[in-house]
Amino acid sequence: MNDPRRLAVRVGVLTGGGDCPGLNAVIRAVVRKGVQEHGFEFVGFRDGWRGPLEGLTMPLGVEQCRGILPRGGTILGSSRTNPFKVERGVEQITDNLAAAGVDALVAIGGEDTLGVATKLADLGVRVVGVPKTIDNDLSGTDFTFGFDTAVNIATEAIDRLHTTAESHHRVLVVEVMGRHAGWIALHAGIAGGASAVLIPEQPFDIERVCAFVESRFETEYAPIIVVSEGAVPVDAGPGEQGMTLQSGEVDAFGHVRLGGIGDRLASEIEHRTGKEARAVVLGHVQRGGTPTAFDRWLATRFGLHAIDAVAEGDFGVMVALRGTDIVRVPLIEGTGELKLVSAEEYAEAQVFFG
């Protein structure tokens, strides 16, 4: 399996981490080009890294990929399984790949899924990565598929909330996803004409937020505040989440479950300004449903280039968008550090706040 001179003829495909629109488009592109141009066979691994870890497979061919382009989610299923947290996890994966006759893997996922792929590649597993996350926080690529769909969903919600907020003269706080990076909040907030956008990269001053609220009411428009789930106030101490609530639950990659910033912020605004405030949490709505045309296009291109990398025996790489080109970069470039909103990018949006 690990002989780099032997081209793969049976390819495994898996999708890991949080689901997002566009995953099925990648699977479809990988399989159709792999079968039609390279003569490969495919096997689908179920539920992320749990598939190769436990030998969970499903047939995967052109027939299974018919009609899946506009479907959200993933026909392969997903999970947040981390084989490096399982005793003999790596050995189980290599044994199951060999038992299934799999020569190479196409791993589609975000920082955690591709982080596992990076470690496995270092251990000799033949793997090509495809970057996926609605948060758009993977380094090495200009955009990840799923992000455009999430931004469009959030923007449509903000558009709808403007009318109901103005009808009742109330503040609406819209909580969107974004644990570490505020790309969804920033893009959707600007596109939706929000009065303020609060992101994890820039701790917020609640007094300034309330000033934005008052300023907006002075123009006879009701304020919309967009906040990432990971945003924190400036007075949060080291290691504290401030207004953000955490459950005691931690996933296999060490992430705590965040939530509650929207409700807490709405309550604080109402208390300080005397204006009625409500919170709307978009949550997993941002992940679901049919992908936008851009995400279908990007996911398809990623899939086509990923299977070409397999055909050329170019492993340990991730496909990435640079400008309008699809390129290959070392897997570590996609997982080494998160791509965050810079202070300069955030400052550009300030002219629209208030």
Side-chain angles (χ1 to χ4, degrees):
M1 172 181 168
N2 296 326
D3 182 355
R5 297 167 297 178
R6 177 170 172 261
L7 293 182
V9 295
R10 185 168 171 81
V11 182
V13 183
L14 64 84
T15 55
D19 68 296
C20 81
L23 284 166
N24 287 323
V26 180
I27 297 168
R28 172 179 176 269
V30 165
V31 171
R32 287 180 67 92
K33 188 169 189 179
V35 170
Q36 295 171 1
E37 293 198 13
H38 301 301
F40 292 161
E41 294 180 357
F42 289 88
V43 58
F45 284 102
R46 300 299 309 270
D47 302 335
W49 288 112
R50 184 182 298 155
L53 184 67
E54 301 179 9
L56 307 176
T57 64
M58 62 172 279
L60 188 60
V62 172
E63 184 63 32
Q64 285 76 26
C65 293
R66 297 191 191 283
I68 68 173
L69 178 63
R71 284 176 55 182
T74 164
I75 62 169
L76 296 177
S78 190
S79 73
R80 298 190 183 277
T81 302
N82 183 354
F84 287 92
K85 295 292 186 180
V86 177
E87 186 177 356
R88 295 193 70 254
V90 174
E91 290 84 352
Q92 287 179 233
I93 284 179
T94 54
D95 289 348
N96 286 328
L97 291 178
V102 170
D103 299 286
L105 275 176
V106 174
I108 312 164
E111 60 168 318
D112 295 327
T113 301
L114 296 185
V116 170
T118 302
K119 293 179 181 179
L120 290 176
D122 291 340
L123 296 173
V125 176
R126 295 150 56 94
V127 60
V128 172
V130 177
K132 169 254 18 165
T133 169
I134 66 170
D135 291 333
N136 199 41
D137 59 359
L138 282 181
S139 57
T141 183
D142 290 349
F143 285 99
T144 52
F145 67 88
F147 173 67
D148 186 69
T149 302
V151 169
N152 273 272
I153 290 169
T155 301
E156 181 180 353
I158 294 167
D159 287 346
R160 292 175 181 274
L161 291 170
H162 271 296
T163 57
T164 185
E166 289 165 10
S167 296
H168 292 273
H169 312 292
R170 61 166 60 118
V171 184
L172 281 177
V173 177
V174 185
E175 181 183 320
V176 300
M177 286 186 168
R179 174 186 297 274
H180 303 295
W183 294 110
I184 294 176
L186 186 63
H187 282 234
I190 292 176
S195 303
V197 175
L198 312 179
I199 62 176
E201 296 91 332
Q202 301 290 328
F204 64 88
D205 182 343
I206 185 62
E207 290 291 347
R208 191 176 185 203
V209 173
C210 290
F212 286 145
V213 167
E214 298 283 11
S215 173
R216 184 74 170 185
F217 274 120
E218 287 175 4
T219 63
E220 298 185 357
Y221 284 95
I224 301 287
I225 309 296
V226 179
V227 57
S228 297
E229 62 184 340
V232 295
V234 292
D235 56 357
E240 295 181 2
Q241 290 296 322
M243 294 184 180
T244 303
L245 303 180
Q246 301 183 61
S247 74
E249 197 175 334
V250 178
D251 68 18
F253 293 93
H255 303 309
V256 296
R257 179 178 293 180
L258 299 182
I261 183 64
D263 285 326
R264 295 289 296 276
L265 188 60
S267 176
E268 194 69 20
I269 289 172
E270 186 168 298
H271 173 71
R272 291 176 182 242
T273 67
K275 306 292 186 181
E276 183 183 3
R278 301 286 179 84
V280 177
V281 182
L282 296 186
H284 287 76
V285 171
Q286 297 157 92
R287 291 192 182 280
T290 187
T292 60
F294 179 85
D295 278 340
R296 298 185 202 190
W297 168 85
L298 180 57
T300 297
R301 292 188 72 198
F302 276 168
L304 297 176
H305 283 261
I307 200 62
D308 282 346
V310 173
E312 295 169 18
D314 190 7
F315 298 106
V317 299
M318 178 189 87
V319 293
L321 180 68
R322 297 283 178 86
T324 57
D325 297 326
I326 306 296
V327 301
R328 299 173 196 166
V329 300
L331 270 168
I332 190 63
E333 284 195 26
T335 59
E337 61 181 19
L338 293 178
K339 180 179 65 182
L340 304 177
V341 178
S342 70
E344 292 76 18
E345 288 168 306
Y346 187 64
E348 288 181 353
Q350 297 295 308
V351 67
F352 297 109
F353 296 169

